Amino acid sequence: MAALANFSRFSRLNRICAARAAAASSGMALVSGRLGDAGIDREDAIVLPLPMAAAAEALDMFDRFDAIDWNNYPSAWRTKKNAFFERLARHVDARCRRAAAAQAELEETTLLALASDEAHDVRKQLADNCDAVRRLDSALLCEIAAHDERLIESLAASLERITSEAQDDWLKAAAAGDAALLVEKAKALEACMRAAQAFKNAHETHPDPNVRERLMSALDFPTSARMNFLHMSGRIGTKPKEERWRFVEPDGCVYALAFMREACSEAGDGSGTDMLDAIDFGTNAPMVFLEVRQLGRFLRMVQALKVPDEFLVRFAASGCAELREAVADRKNLPQPVLDLLKRDASYDVRTALLGNDDALALLDETDVIEVLAGDPLLLREAFEYASPSGRIKRVLHKAFDDSDDPGAREILAALDAED
């Protein structure tokens, strides 16, 4: 019994420590405001300090959802983005460094810092990052691998991918008949193959037979027949255009992750409007802009995060239905947000609102009928597997008792049968 009591106490202490860690400030914040020449204008900006757990979830989006195509990232913001990841690569929390290791176009100093990171998962993320692997020499690649079989296999796979891409680029240059470009691509291909061969040679006597086999298969480069197939199939694409519209709302608002000059003792508490002095809004300040659609994913991942009303109102007025739908799922929505969402043109947003019992309790009869908009399929979508309160059932009857749709009558009958 004593051992069981000690185990229970140990588990409770672990949970308390975990909760404290989740509540600790990350030194980062979500910032929103209208876009100016230098970035976000300070005049109408709002700030949401992020606890460490929420910041880690936000950073995890970059890799988990392949959230930003850096080829499309506006060039005017790249200095701020590079400064952000340079600082992130030296963050005390390994989750932040791992997020930095997944990004393309990292500065050389950032790459060097990550290549020598003590955390295995940080180096694993860097090993899976083809853009980073392409820019590191074979000695640094061996340092990243550190004789670990998982890291060796990840680096071998990345080397295979970048070499295949270099071969594709060489074929495209040959087909175009551009002599200067052909020389450039041939040098790039030679550099890739040389790095891959050096990495392979460094591990050819590795004691693990699985590693040796993986190296042989991964670095067995494409044959001429496959290269010709890639050329004929036109698989080589062109660089996409910058797509600033992914980041900017119709009213000109943007969202970004930024570092705070001074970490808050209780991040996420309060409106955040008094935190403007803690954010650097300068031209080259460390800041990475988020695509608007990412905010919906972020809100779903951090359901427990207290989000100030001013942020929720801005989210609810967003042009992105995915973000508005995520807002409609949250508890304790303020009245201005409900007023926006109940009139939303998006079917999915109104479905989410009808599935939110907390929100339904705050909507009056007229509001609920307005959300339903006389749509029997929305009635089925929202309430076929739900158990609404007696008040909501009465509202549904008022909205659909006169409907000619047999599906609507079927749902009402099924709800009545639960009583």
Side-chain angles (χ1 to χ4, degrees):
M1 290 299 290
L4 183 60
N6 286 335
F7 177 78
S8 176
R9 179 175 177 273
F10 179 74
S11 298
R12 185 167 61 253
L13 287 174
N14 275 348
R15 288 195 298 272
I16 292 172
C17 290
R20 286 175 178 168
S25 170
S26 66
M28 278 182 274
L30 178 67
V31 184
S32 177
R34 282 176 175 74
L35 189 62
D37 294 336
I40 295 178
D41 283 337
R42 190 183 188 282
E43 284 69 21
D44 69 339
I46 52 178
V47 178
L48 172 58
L50 296 177
M52 190 62 247
E57 290 286 6
L59 295 167
D60 195 36
M61 288 192 305
F62 291 135
D63 184 52
R64 189 191 306 182
F65 298 106
D66 194 20
I68 293 181
D69 179 356
W70 296 114
N71 287 326
N72 290 330
Y73 196 76
S75 56
W77 303 341
R78 289 178 186 268
T79 301
K80 299 167 78 69
K81 183 264 291 184
N82 290 340
F84 180 89
F85 285 116
E86 171 76 18
R87 186 167 172 181
L88 194 68
R90 289 167 172 76
H91 199 283
V92 67
D93 195 294
R95 291 171 293 183
C96 295
R97 304 197 302 275
R98 183 179 60 192
Q103 307 313 312
E105 301 181 354
L106 294 173
E107 298 286 282
E108 183 178 353
T109 53
T110 309
L111 285 174
L112 294 175
L114 294 168
S116 59
D117 199 288
E118 72 278 5
H120 178 277
D121 277 2
V122 173
R123 286 180 288 120
K124 174 68 168 65
Q125 195 69 267
L126 196 65
D128 290 332
N129 183 342
C130 286
D131 180 78
V133 172
R134 184 183 292 110
R135 295 162 54 203
L136 295 171
D137 61 31
S138 56
L140 271 174
L141 296 179
C142 291
E143 182 180 334
I144 293 171
H147 225 59
D148 181 276
E149 73 281 359
R150 288 179 61 193
L151 294 173
I152 293 171
E153 292 180 2
S154 291
L155 283 164
S158 293
L159 285 165
E160 180 186 33
R161 286 195 295 273
I162 64 176
T163 304
S164 295
E165 291 169 2
Q167 289 171 326
D168 292 351
D169 290 343
W170 178 80
L171 279 170
K172 183 179 180 182
D178 187 329
L181 183 62
L182 184 60
V183 170
E184 176 189 335
K185 297 303 180 184
K187 288 181 179 179
L189 174 56
E190 182 183 1
C192 287
M193 295 187 73
R194 191 164 52 244
Q197 190 61 51
F199 185 78
K200 183 177 180 180
N201 292 343
H203 297 92
E204 62 184 358
T205 59
H206 195 282
D208 190 330
N210 292 328
V211 170
R212 297 198 300 273
E213 182 178 357
R214 182 75 180 93
L215 283 169
M216 289 297 295
S217 60
L219 300 180
D220 181 17
F221 301 120
T223 63
S224 297
R226 178 175 180 273
M227 290 166 64
N228 288 332
F229 168 76
L230 291 173
H231 168 57
M232 296 301 293
S233 63
R235 249 187 53 186
I236 306 169
T238 57
K239 183 176 179 179
K241 296 180 180 179
E242 295 179 0
E243 296 180 335
R244 180 177 287 225
W245 59 268
R246 295 178 181 272
F247 301 85
V248 186
E249 292 275 26
D251 64 356
C253 279
V254 291
Y255 301 94
L257 284 179
F259 285 97
M260 305 183 73
R261 289 197 179 94
E262 295 181 3
C264 301
S265 59
E266 295 186 9
D269 184 35
S271 68
T273 53
D274 58 340
M275 301 305 300
L276 290 174
D277 291 338
I279 302 295
D280 184 356
F281 289 93
T283 303
N284 297 326
M287 187 177 290
V288 60
F289 290 85
L290 304 177
E291 293 185 18
V292 176
R293 62 189 173 92
Q294 294 177 39
L295 273 299
R297 295 166 180 163
F298 173 66
L299 278 182
R300 293 188 187 282
M301 288 191 292
V302 291
Q303 287 286 347
L305 176 67
K306 177 177 171 55
V307 179
D309 290 358
E310 56 192 340
F311 264 99
L312 291 174
V313 170
R314 187 165 290 186
F315 291 157
S318 170
C320 177
E322 184 177 347
L323 174 53
R324 303 196 307 273
E325 183 182 351
V327 176
D329 276 334
R330 293 185 69 86
K331 305 301 181 186
N332 302 315
L333 292 175
Q335 193 60 47
V337 173
L338 290 172
D339 289 341
L340 286 168
L341 296 176
K342 71 185 182 184
R343 301 182 180 89
D344 202 289
S346 169
Y347 180 90
D348 289 339
V349 173
R350 287 184 288 118
T351 300
L353 194 63
L354 290 170
N356 185 341
D357 291 338
D358 184 78
L360 284 179
L362 298 173
L363 294 173
D364 62 27
E365 177 182 306
T366 305
D367 292 334
V368 177
I369 293 175
E370 184 176 5
V371 176
L372 287 163
D375 187 341
L377 292 179
L378 179 54
L379 171 69
R380 176 176 292 276
E381 180 77 18
F383 295 103
E384 184 173 15
Y385 301 106
S387 297
S389 65
R391 181 182 77 91
I392 296 300
K393 287 180 182 179
R394 290 191 294 274
V395 173
L396 298 180
H397 272 288
K398 183 172 183 177
F400 290 98
D401 269 347
D402 295 333
S403 173
D404 295 330
D405 191 289
R409 294 197 299 271
E410 177 185 328
I411 292 294
L412 293 177
L415 292 175
D416 290 340
E418 295 177 356
D419 295 335

